[in-house]
């Protein structure tokens, strides 16, 4: 069964870079036709899509975050990663990784989610 | 961006009764070439990630109880729980995947009356 697990620092200082990793088990990122996305949820608020990428490096980012976001895949570790630069308190959220796409199609739903990790931006 | 607006923001329904949640998109999410509505529904319980319930507006994800159903087309969609169970207490979100960026509704909190 596919499992996704986010990891990374729970506290980041303002203006620094947020870095998270999602480890995928129960399936190989490189052998699938899926995309791997990042979604965040500020405490008590709704969901915001950050971006998605496939193992081949095709990426799609939310324009509202595009200038600060980078995602990449490490197929040797079966991991996808997120970097968000120049963070502020507004970036405080639970960050989820999720599987999306179908047969290589990007515009699809998110059918498997990690448990999420809370990142707080504070000095 | 396509704006997704859900109504109501919160809803209290008696056990065994029907619950109806609405979702309206700021533009049509019906793709004419395949006649599919690019809309999904999720359930999120406290402390848990969202769980996919419905995709293509009306297709139930594997393992989702059949008391959950989705309907609608174009810009107006509905999630219906035919007979509310205690375990259905959650926040429900709609999501459009017609175009990037993917966008979600603000959520509807469902409680037991």
């Amino acid at each position: 069964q596919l499992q996704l697990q986010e990891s990374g620092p729970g506290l980041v200082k303002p203006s620094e870079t947020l870095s998270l990793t999602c480890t995928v088990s129960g399936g190989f990122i490189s052998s699938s036709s899926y995309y791997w996305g990042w979604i965040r949820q500020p405490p008590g608020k709704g969901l915001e899509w950050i971006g998605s990428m496939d193992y081949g490096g095709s990426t799609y980012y939310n324009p509202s975050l595009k200038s600060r976001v980078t995602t990449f895949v490490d197929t040797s570790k079966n991991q996808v990663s997120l970097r968000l630069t120049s963070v502020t308190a507004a970036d405080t959220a639970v960050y989820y990784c999720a599987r999306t796409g179908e047969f290589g199609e990007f515009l699809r739903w998110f059918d498997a989610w990690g448990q999420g990790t809370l990142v707080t931006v504070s000095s | 961006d396509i704006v997704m607006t859900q109504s109501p923001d919160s809803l209290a329904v008696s056990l065994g009764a029907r619950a109806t949640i609405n979702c309206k998109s700021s533009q049509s999410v019906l793709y004419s070439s395949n006649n599919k509505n690019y809309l999904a529904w999720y359930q999120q319980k406290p402390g848990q990630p969202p769980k996919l319930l419905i995709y293509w507006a009306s297709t139930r994800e594997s393992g989702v109880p059949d008391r959950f159903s989705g309907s609608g087309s174009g810009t107006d969609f509905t999630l219906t729980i035919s007979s509310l169970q205690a375990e259905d207490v959650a926040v429900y979100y709609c999501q459009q995947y017609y175009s990037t960026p993917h966008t979600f509704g603000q959520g509807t909190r469902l409680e037991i009356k």
Side-chain angles (χ1 to χ4, degrees):
Chain A
Q1 184 176 353
L2 187 75
Q3 291 189 323
L4 295 81
Q5 181 65 59
E6 305 87 348
S7 59
L11 182 64
V12 180
K13 289 182 168 57
S15 80
E16 295 190 346
T17 296
L18 178 160
S19 295
L20 296 175
T21 297
C22 173
T23 301
V24 178
S25 58
F28 292 104
I29 291 175
S30 59
S31 65
S32 64
S33 58
Y34 293 100
Y35 280 76
W36 305 90
W38 290 92
I39 300 103
R40 70 180 182 179
Q41 184 172 36
K45 296 188 177 181
L47 300 161
E48 180 182 31
W49 173 70
I50 299 170
S52 300
M53 70 178 302
D54 71 1
Y55 82 93
S58 295
T59 57
Y60 296 86
Y61 298 139
N62 192 324
S64 68
L65 298 167
K66 187 174 183 178
S67 64
R68 299 194 291 131
V69 170
T70 305
T71 57
F72 50 96
V73 170
D74 186 335
T75 55
S76 67
K77 296 181 179 179
N78 221 36
Q79 292 177 336
V80 295
S81 296
L82 169 71
R83 294 188 68 202
L84 181 66
T85 62
S86 305
V87 297
T88 70
D91 295 310
T92 294
V94 174
Y95 285 75
Y96 295 101
C97 63
R99 187 180 72 174
T100 183
E102 179 189 46
F103 308 118
E105 292 290 333
F106 160 66
L107 293 172
R108 291 295 187 269
W109 51 89
F110 298 94
D111 66 346
W113 296 66
Q115 284 300 307
T117 187
L118 174 63
V119 178
T120 301
V121 178
S122 175
S123 56
Chain B
D1 299 4
I2 298 177
V3 177
M4 307 300 289
T5 304
Q6 294 180 226
S7 62
D9 289 334
S10 64
L11 180 63
V13 174
S14 300
L15 287 172
R18 179 186 299 262
T20 301
I21 299 170
N22 301 300
C23 175
K24 188 175 184 67
S25 56
S26 61
Q27 65 186 74
S28 176
V29 298
L30 174 62
Y31 196 38
S32 57
S33 66
N34 59 11
N35 200 37
K36 290 189 174 185
N37 288 283
Y38 282 49
L39 183 111
W41 288 97
Y42 301 85
Q43 174 193 66
Q44 186 177 33
K45 297 181 179 180
Q48 296 185 20
K51 173 189 174 183
L52 176 67
L53 297 176
I54 302 279
Y55 56 93
W56 296 134
S58 61
T59 301
R60 253 189 318 273
E61 172 72 329
S62 175
V64 173
D66 61 7
R67 64 180 180 272
F68 290 91
S69 63
S71 62
S73 185
T75 61
D76 293 282
F77 300 91
T78 300
L79 175 69
T80 301
I81 307 172
S82 60
S83 177
L84 189 70
Q85 305 299 303
E87 61 265 32
D88 300 334
V89 169
V91 178
Y92 292 83
Y93 294 93
C94 60
Q95 176 227 340
Q96 68 80 20
Y97 47 94
Y98 180 89
S99 65
T100 185
H102 295 294
T103 48
F104 295 84
Q106 81 277 17
T108 294
R109 185 174 302 276
L110 177 59
E111 300 172 333
I112 304 294
K113 185 186 294 184

